[in-house]
């Protein structure tokens, strides 16, 4: 019938077809209608990918057991609250002292609206609120460019856009672009640039209200005093602030963005409840994976005892750098593929303050301050506005910067981060500090990575043993996606593995 419809021009064209096969959630009726029975599956790793695999398989009645080495589920989705304790691979033990209701998301902290993560929040009943990713009143501070004081994002953007518009508008006006544009095109371009860059009648950038005010407009008699001292074009370009503007154009960074109310770990908590805590064994470190031909056995240690889980299938959802250390009989192709994927470093520090001075003194509500200091990004909280306290992310850095901070004691990390922040915000960055908590992913036991680098991309032939089941073992994780480091990648990879496993069971 479909072929006939195609011949008559009534079937969808290839161009109209979705680029990706839509995910179809499993159902118990898949087995009821076929006379087959669900299988037993052991899932290695209780992060987002592992939990999602168990959750989706559970919809069809699969008997799932999740093994998680840490004492909690969620993997790199980790929200730090008062009382939480960690010990890193350097032996640094920390206990968070954040006040009730305050937290830091040490791992994922924001969700773009196009990601499937939001679909799971809806399905699992996880409430959301806006995460302010870009804020016109946050700061930019490039110390290496000679800046002695921070500059508002809005001011920097007005100046950069203004001078770029002036240069391009004058080039078009003088006919420099005659070979590229018609006269009508040039006129339209000049009109656009004059508006976009807030240029004057002579197509000259002289500043304006977009830069901000030293005295903001108020009641009659207070028209406002625009921010003066417009720097030269040379000074603006030398400051290097323009390099930050492309950030908001990134497909995975463009507003709006969201966060779960109360912390990102609301997602794994909801998944854990949906899977059933009785199906999840925390503190269970996997020591061996064996494909037996007609099933899989997974050996693990828990509380000093060694146990074995026997199942029909396995979903391996550990980080690849950790999975590569687990003995298995899955072949050299699997091992070399795992070893080709390299772990990356990233770190955050939460600085809790006795007052929300960034709101009171700087009028900054959410958003990110960017700097070329080794703290890289400073995040203002997007929750708890006008409260008594608040937790800033004092650094979100990666690579060598994250590694250098990791080698310090927690107090040393705090002191170094605070010294950088004082240059931007002033003395209260130090005097109002109540407590801090730092987390470094390369030094986190059983994870040892913030995200992963997959040379050649996840579809490279060398990763075929991971993208397809090897024996009765399927693989899942954000590292097998094009959105590594995002929960979206873990969700979609788990869906792919679940679909393949379910199709296989139905066909067996």
């Amino acid at each position: 019938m479909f072929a006939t419809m195609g011949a008559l021009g009534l079937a969808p064209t290839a161009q109209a077809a979705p680029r990706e096969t839509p995910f179809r959630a499993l159902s118990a009726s898949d087995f009821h209608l076929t006379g087959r029975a669900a299988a037993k599956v052991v899932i290695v790793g209780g992060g987002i990918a592992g939990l999602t695999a168990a959750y989706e398989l559970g919809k069809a009645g699969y008997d799932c057991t999740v093994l998680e080495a840490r004492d909690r589920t969620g993997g790199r989705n980790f929200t730090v609250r008062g009382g939480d304790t960690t010990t890193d691979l350097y032996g640094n033990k920390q206990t968070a002292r954040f006040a009730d209701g305050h937290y830091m998301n040490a791992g994922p902290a924001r969700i773009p609206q196009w990601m499937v993560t939001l679909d799971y929040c809806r399905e699992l009943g996880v409430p959301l609120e806006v995460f302010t990713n870009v804020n016109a009143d946050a700061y930019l501070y490039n110390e290496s460019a000679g800046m002695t004081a921070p500059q508002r994002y809005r001011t920097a953007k007005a100046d950069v856009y203004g001078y770029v518009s002036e240069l391009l508008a004058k080039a078009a006006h003088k006919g420099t672009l005659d070979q590229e544009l018609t006269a009508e095109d040039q006129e339209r371009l000049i009109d656009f640039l004059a508006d976009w860059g807030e240029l004057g009648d002579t197509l000259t950038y002289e500043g304006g209200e977009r830069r901000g005010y030293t005295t903001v407009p108020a009641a009659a008699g207070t028209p406002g005093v625009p921010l003066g001292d417009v720097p030269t074009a040379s000074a603006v370009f030398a400051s290097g602030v323009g390099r930050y503007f492309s950030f908001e154009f990134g497909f995975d960074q463009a507003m709006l963005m969201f966060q779960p109310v109360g912390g990102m770990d609301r997602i794994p908590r909801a998944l854990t409840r949906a899977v059933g805590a009785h199906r999840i064994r925390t503190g269970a470190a996997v020591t061996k994976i064996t494909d037996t031909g007609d099933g899989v056995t997974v050996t693990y240690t828990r509380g000093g005892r060694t146990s074995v889980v026997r199942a029909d299938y396995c979903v391996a959802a550990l980080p690849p750098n950790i999975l590569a250390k687990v003995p298995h009989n899955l072949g050299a192709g699997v091992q070399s593929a795992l070893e080709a994927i390299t772990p990356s470093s990233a770190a955050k520090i939460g600085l809790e303050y006795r007052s929300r001075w960034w709101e009171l003194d700087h009028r900054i509500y959410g958003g990110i301050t960017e700097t070329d200091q080794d703290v890289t990004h400073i995040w203002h909280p997007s929750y708890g506005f006008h409260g008594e306290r608040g937790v800033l992310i004092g650094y979100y850095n990666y690579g060598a910067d994250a590694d250098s901070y990791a080698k310090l004691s927690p107090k040393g990390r705090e002191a170094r981060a605070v010294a950088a922040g004082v240059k931007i915000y002033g003395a209260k960055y130090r005097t109002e500090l109540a407590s801090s908590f730092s987390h470094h992913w390369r030094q986190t036991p059983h994870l040892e990575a913030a995200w992963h680098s997959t040379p050649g991309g996840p579809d490279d032939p060398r990763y075929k043993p991971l993208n397809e089941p090897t024996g009765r073992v399927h693989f899942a994780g954000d590292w097998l996606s094009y959105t590594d480091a995002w929960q979206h990648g873990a969700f979609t990879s788990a869906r792919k593995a679940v679909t393949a496993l379910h199709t296989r069971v139905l066909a067996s």
Side-chain angles (χ1 to χ4, degrees):
M1 182 177 68
F2 190 83
T4 303
M5 290 173 64
L8 295 173
L10 300 177
T13 64
Q15 289 78 11
R19 294 183 179 179
E20 179 183 353
T21 303
F23 174 70
R24 185 187 72 81
L26 280 54
S27 169
S29 63
D30 296 345
F31 293 113
H32 296 161
L33 297 175
T34 61
R36 291 178 171 83
K40 183 175 182 180
V41 181
V42 58
I43 297 168
V44 178
I48 295 299
L51 291 175
T52 302
Y55 172 62
E56 294 294 352
L57 288 169
K59 293 177 180 178
Y62 284 87
D63 180 6
C64 295
T65 299
V66 180
L67 302 177
E68 168 54 47
R70 306 185 74 197
D71 60 1
R72 61 167 186 83
T73 58
R76 284 164 288 158
N77 181 324
F78 178 33
T79 299
V80 181
R81 296 184 177 82
D84 287 340
T85 297
T86 63
T87 302
D88 65 23
L89 294 177
Y90 288 134
N92 295 305
K93 184 176 181 179
Q94 296 179 84
T95 298
R97 294 184 288 117
F98 298 152
D100 289 346
H102 295 277
Y103 60 85
M104 66 174 282
N105 289 316
R110 49 195 169 183
I111 310 171
Q113 54 196 322
W114 57 269
M115 288 187 169
V116 74
T117 310
L118 292 187
D119 297 335
Y120 278 94
C121 289
R122 181 188 301 108
E123 183 173 329
L124 296 166
V126 177
L128 300 171
E129 60 190 359
V130 170
F131 176 90
T132 305
N133 204 37
V134 178
N135 185 344
D137 281 322
Y139 288 125
L140 299 175
Y141 180 68
N142 283 344
E143 187 176 46
S144 64
M147 293 180 69
T148 57
Q151 188 175 49
R152 299 280 188 179
Y153 198 97
R154 70 164 75 248
T155 305
K157 183 178 284 189
D159 289 344
V160 171
Y161 286 3
Y163 281 123
V164 170
S165 296
E166 176 184 333
L167 294 170
L168 186 53
K170 288 180 175 178
H173 186 67
K174 293 178 179 179
T176 307
L177 302 178
D178 285 353
Q179 292 182 348
E180 303 293 333
L181 302 172
T182 67
E184 188 176 19
D185 289 337
Q186 290 183 45
E187 184 177 348
R188 290 171 177 168
L189 175 60
I190 291 171
D191 286 343
F192 163 74
L193 293 169
D195 178 68
W196 191 61
E198 200 176 16
L199 305 182
D201 293 338
T202 60
L203 300 180
T204 300
Y205 175 68
E206 299 173 351
E209 59 89 21
R210 296 179 188 176
R211 302 186 75 245
Y213 291 82
T214 54
T215 301
V216 299
T222 310
V225 178
L227 193 64
D229 299 324
V230 180
T232 64
S234 178
V236 168
F237 296 142
S239 72
V241 293
R243 68 171 181 250
Y244 297 109
F245 303 154
S246 60
F247 166 75
E248 63 192 86
F249 298 141
F251 186 68
D252 59 359
Q253 296 292 348
M255 292 296 288
L256 283 175
M257 301 189 84
F258 295 89
Q259 62 183 10
V261 175
M264 190 61 76
D265 67 349
R266 301 302 188 194
I267 295 175
R269 287 187 181 189
L271 281 167
T272 298
R273 288 193 299 270
V275 170
H278 63 287
R279 296 186 179 278
I280 301 170
R281 302 175 192 177
T282 56
V286 171
T287 58
K288 190 175 183 180
I289 299 173
T290 305
D291 187 313
T292 62
D294 60 351
V296 180
T297 62
V298 176
T299 306
Y300 67 94
T301 60
R302 188 187 194 197
R305 297 180 59 184
T306 299
S307 302
V308 177
V309 174
R310 293 174 174 82
D312 300 302
Y313 298 94
C314 172
V315 176
L318 289 177
N321 53 307
I322 301 300
L323 195 55
K325 300 176 184 179
V326 177
H328 61 79
N329 68 339
L330 304 178
V334 167
Q335 186 65 22
S336 61
L338 292 171
E339 292 176 354
I341 303 172
T342 57
S344 298
S345 300
K348 289 180 182 177
I349 189 170
L351 303 175
E352 183 186 25
Y353 287 94
R354 287 182 284 268
S355 68
R356 297 176 76 95
W357 50 262
W358 54 91
E359 295 174 1
L360 295 167
D361 299 345
H362 300 262
R363 302 195 70 82
I364 299 176
Y365 289 77
I368 303 170
T369 283
E370 304 285 0
T371 176
D372 63 355
Q373 298 182 90
D374 60 13
V375 295
T376 309
H377 311 287
I378 298 174
W379 288 13
H380 314 95
S382 290
Y383 71 95
F385 300 119
H386 289 178
E388 292 184 1
R389 287 181 172 241
V391 177
L392 282 178
I393 299 300
Y395 59 71
Y396 174 22
N397 54 17
Y398 20 80
D401 288 335
D403 290 338
S404 66
Y405 270 87
K407 294 175 182 177
L408 303 175
S409 67
K411 274 298 180 184
R413 299 168 189 168
E414 175 192 289
R416 184 165 164 179
V418 168
V422 167
K423 297 177 184 179
I424 300 173
Y425 297 94
K428 285 188 178 180
Y429 205 88
R430 177 177 286 114
T431 60
E432 288 295 295
L433 184 64
S435 68
S436 70
F437 188 95
S438 50
H439 191 79
H440 295 252
W441 287 107
R442 284 287 279 140
Q443 286 69 44
T444 300
H446 305 296
L447 292 171
E448 300 180 29
W451 51 77
H452 300 85
S453 173
T454 307
D459 283 317
D460 188 282
R462 80 186 88 175
Y463 308 119
K464 185 177 180 180
L466 306 178
N467 282 312
E468 298 177 359
T470 296
R472 286 178 172 257
V473 177
H474 295 245
F475 299 88
D478 62 306
W479 43 278
L480 284 176
S481 80
Y482 285 95
T483 49
D484 180 46
W486 294 94
Q487 294 173 99
H488 173 86
F491 280 121
T492 55
S493 178
R495 284 179 164 189
K496 181 176 180 287
V498 163
T499 300
L501 192 156
H502 188 52
T503 301
R504 182 178 182 177
V505 170
L506 288 177
S508 64

